[in-house]
Amino acid sequence: MCTSLTLTANDQTVLLARTMDFPNVDPWVPRSFAAQTTWQPVYGDAQVTQTRIVGASRHLNGHDLLGDGLNADGLACAELYLPHAVHYYHTPQAGRLNLTPQDFIMWVLSGHKTVAEVVADLPNVALVASVWFAENKVYPFHWLIADQTGASVVIEPTTLTLRASPNSVGVLTNTPVLANHEKRLLAFLNAPELANLGPAATEWVQQGRELPTGPVPTNRFIRTAINRWGHPTPITAEAAISAAFDYLNQVVIPKQPGRQPRNHNFTHYRCVIDLTHLTYFHIPTATNKLSKTVIS
């Protein structure tokens, strides 16, 4: 149960922002990985990061699980939940790089510089429905990827063959798949096609009309998309970061008071990743204290 968006300021600063909404209780914390750090996917040989990476991580049983991250080449990736829609291989495939869903972000960030490089490399990857080192289930994920040029794609493993779709709206939440979200958004705005999204969203905001509320993924998608497209493009990096956090704040899912229900998703953190200035901003919901990590 996450919400993410990409945003480009007038000064060409490129951002990827997201909430991390998940039922686990152990914390996600910012962590840096130096270039030439060894990491081990579930299958095959150990891999080595080609550049420095910073992202939100859970350190479990000696392994690091990234929820999102940025590398020193300005490539960023975030994973979001996609239940009831994914198709993974049941067993490792010969002649392919076999990855569990939890391995995917580290693979993206440790060996690629651009979105185009990731897309070109997808045919070499097989996503395998296997339990990760410290988890007891196979997670259904899709991924939002962006680079410094402003290029952005969504990878949804709805078939065994991995393909990338253009991130035209610049927003991603959870199930349903992106194409379904886009159709619902256009129907909500009574807009005939995505080319009309900007004017329709701007009119909606200027008229002060209500936005959908609540944790349902389709509502969060529509709200965030209208915010992103209905407000003027931020002029500077600082303004864009502020706007991104504002849009995320509107879709935070609070933690329930008292004993936390086992399967209740709540927002662990919000982050804004500045791909242009190689900076990772992170706000844990528990403290609301902003941390800033710069890849030097």
Side-chain angles (χ1 to χ4, degrees):
M1 298 291 287
C2 306
T3 303
S4 65
L5 68 140
T6 57
L7 186 63
T8 300
N10 282 339
D11 69 359
Q12 300 307 304
T13 295
V14 179
L15 306 179
L16 188 158
R18 66 91 52 84
T19 64
M20 170 58 80
D21 309 326
F22 211 64
N24 66 284
V25 294
D26 50 315
W28 298 81
V29 296
R31 185 171 180 197
S32 295
F33 303 86
Q36 302 304 306
T37 295
T38 299
W39 64 279
Q40 178 65 58
V42 170
Y43 294 105
D45 297 332
Q47 306 289 316
V48 176
T49 62
Q50 300 304 304
T51 185
R52 188 181 174 197
I53 297 169
V54 61
S57 168
R58 294 165 63 202
H59 190 69
L60 304 168
N61 290 2
H63 298 273
D64 290 284
L65 175 61
L66 282 178
D68 49 68
L70 166 73
N71 71 21
D73 293 305
L75 181 69
C77 182
E79 69 187 18
L80 294 90
Y81 215 52
L82 190 67
H84 314 300
V86 304
H87 291 274
Y88 300 143
Y89 286 102
H90 295 296
T91 58
Q93 302 298 296
R96 307 278 287 280
L97 176 63
N98 293 285
L99 300 173
T100 67
Q102 292 96 322
D103 293 321
F104 190 77
I105 288 186
M106 188 64 89
W107 171 77
V108 167
L109 297 179
S110 67
H112 305 90
K113 296 180 179 180
T114 65
V115 168
E117 287 186 3
V118 176
V119 173
D121 213 1
L122 287 178
N124 299 315
V125 173
L127 288 179
V128 184
S130 295
V131 173
W132 194 66
F133 295 106
E135 304 278 57
N136 59 5
K137 65 179 291 186
V138 177
Y139 285 100
F141 287 145
H142 57 169
W143 296 270
L144 176 61
I145 304 175
D147 65 27
Q148 286 185 332
T149 69
S152 180
V153 297
V154 172
I155 297 173
E156 296 186 315
T158 55
T159 67
L160 295 178
T161 300
L162 293 178
R163 295 185 177 91
S165 301
N167 182 25
S168 302
V169 177
V171 174
L172 189 65
T173 56
N174 313 103
T175 299
V177 296
L178 179 61
N180 190 306
H181 276 300
E182 292 173 344
K183 290 179 181 179
R184 290 170 182 265
L185 172 63
L186 293 177
F188 183 87
L189 291 170
N190 195 27
E193 55 188 16
L194 289 177
N196 302 102
L197 177 56
T202 298
E203 181 181 1
W204 194 279
V205 171
Q206 290 178 345
Q207 292 179 350
R209 303 176 69 179
E210 291 187 3
L211 298 175
T213 59
V216 177
T218 48
N219 286 353
R220 288 184 283 111
F221 186 96
I222 291 171
R223 184 184 190 96
T224 305
I226 293 175
N227 273 328
R228 184 195 182 281
W229 288 92
H231 291 92
T233 301
I235 296 173
T236 64
E238 292 77 10
I241 292 166
S242 178
F245 270 126
D246 178 44
Y247 303 155
L248 295 180
N249 291 342
Q250 296 181 39
V251 292
V252 164
I253 300 174
K255 187 175 182 179
Q256 294 189 9
R259 184 176 180 180
Q260 180 71 20
R262 182 176 180 181
N263 292 319
H264 171 71
N265 290 277
F266 63 96
T267 302
H268 285 250
Y269 66 86
R270 292 144 284 159
C271 77
V272 173
I273 305 172
D274 183 339
L275 286 67
T276 304
H277 303 99
L278 300 180
T279 306
Y280 185 91
F281 300 90
H282 180 95
I283 302 179
T285 304
T287 65
N288 272 328
K289 292 183 178 180
L290 174 69
S291 67
K292 173 181 174 181
T293 306
V294 180
I295 297 181
S296 55

